[in-house]
Amino acid sequence: MNYSLLLQHYDLLLIGAELTVVMTVGSVTLGVILGTVLGLMRLSAYRPVRWLAGLYLQIFRGTPMLLQICFLYFALPQIFGPTIWSNPFLPDAALAGIVALGLNSGAYIAEIIRSGIQGVDVGQTEAARALGLSHFQTMELVVMPQAFRRVIPPLCNEFIVLLKDTSLVSAIGAKELMYQARAMGAKYYEYFVFMVGAAIVYFCLTFVLTRVSGYIERRLAVSD
């Protein structure tokens, strides 16, 4: 096994890692926005709203993520046209991957948000309403700040999971870290070497995120 190939082509792995990070940030951003909306819908007093949110969660949590990625990239262009993913900023496959990962992540983040809100003592909500705050003011000023502190640790974990799940987007040709490792392995027939290289990069990225997550949790514990 020729490990010197890693030194010769480390730049390709770093380019792949850069796209991996971009896709992770994009999908997490979309997932948090969508998950917050869905989480609030799950707590709505209106049954149809709760039903729609529940249906979304069942679909995206009940089907494989790889299927969702392939559906968005291969099937949607047959309905909305081949240029649906065309954009001046990212490769088509990368944008489709971000959307797919974000839609999937939103289903899980919705449950994180919902549990965080429900974890706030109901007595505080009742006290806020007794003081004359509206439902919106109660959520904005009393419930959401406390729920936010509760959901930060699981959201950090979701961030780490999504970073690793970006490897699935290599199936549609996004040139992220896994794609680059597989391409170099096929070129030199040194799969072991490049897979080890990719594993090291993934480990470094997840290690940094884990440390950051631990720091945030400690800060929140101290402030409590």
Side-chain angles (χ1 to χ4, degrees):
M1 285 171 281
N2 188 2
Y3 288 98
S4 65
L5 290 172
L6 282 178
L7 297 178
Q8 297 176 26
H9 299 287
Y10 74 93
D11 56 328
L12 292 177
L13 292 181
L14 293 181
I15 291 173
E18 180 182 4
L19 183 57
T20 292
V21 172
V22 169
M23 291 174 59
T24 303
V25 172
S27 57
V28 165
T29 302
L30 176 59
V32 168
I33 295 172
L34 182 60
T36 301
V37 173
L38 289 169
L40 293 174
M41 289 174 64
R42 290 274 286 164
L43 298 173
S44 173
Y46 300 98
R47 181 176 296 179
V49 174
R50 296 198 307 271
W51 184 85
L52 284 174
L55 177 63
Y56 181 97
L57 266 61
Q58 289 296 324
I59 292 174
F60 279 90
R61 296 176 68 179
T63 55
M65 186 182 293
L66 182 59
L67 171 63
Q68 296 165 19
I69 293 171
C70 291
F71 181 86
L72 262 65
Y73 187 67
F74 294 116
L76 285 192
Q78 294 186 341
I79 301 174
F80 298 103
T83 61
I84 182 175
W85 300 116
S86 298
N87 70 97
F89 306 106
L90 289 170
D92 295 0
L95 179 58
I98 289 173
V99 174
L101 292 172
L103 292 176
N104 181 276
S105 178
Y108 291 92
I109 293 177
E111 290 297 275
I112 295 174
I113 298 296
R114 179 189 61 80
S115 62
I117 293 174
Q118 289 184 326
V120 177
D121 188 354
V122 68
Q124 299 195 39
T125 302
E126 294 173 351
R129 298 304 297 271
L131 291 173
L133 297 181
S134 66
H135 176 73
F136 179 80
Q137 290 174 322
T138 301
M139 292 295 293
E140 179 185 11
L141 301 175
V142 178
V143 177
M144 292 305 292
Q146 297 183 66
F148 177 77
R149 298 162 70 89
R150 295 172 181 268
V151 303
I152 285 297
L155 281 181
C156 290
N157 184 64
E158 180 68 16
F159 196 179
I160 295 170
V161 170
L162 272 180
L163 188 147
K164 293 183 290 185
D165 285 344
T166 56
S167 60
L168 295 173
V169 186
S170 64
I172 59 174
K175 296 182 180 180
E176 44 71 65
L177 180 56
M178 185 64 188
Y179 179 95
Q180 298 286 12
R182 193 173 61 187
M184 289 297 99
K187 180 178 180 179
Y188 294 100
Y189 203 67
E190 288 280 1
Y191 287 100
F192 182 86
V193 170
F194 287 101
M195 291 300 169
V196 168
I200 293 172
V201 177
Y202 276 120
F203 176 81
C204 291
L205 292 174
T206 55
F207 179 79
V208 171
L209 289 178
T210 302
R211 300 291 291 182
V212 171
S213 175
Y215 173 77
I216 294 174
E217 290 187 39
R218 288 193 299 272
R219 291 284 295 181
L220 291 176
V222 169
S223 60
D224 282 341

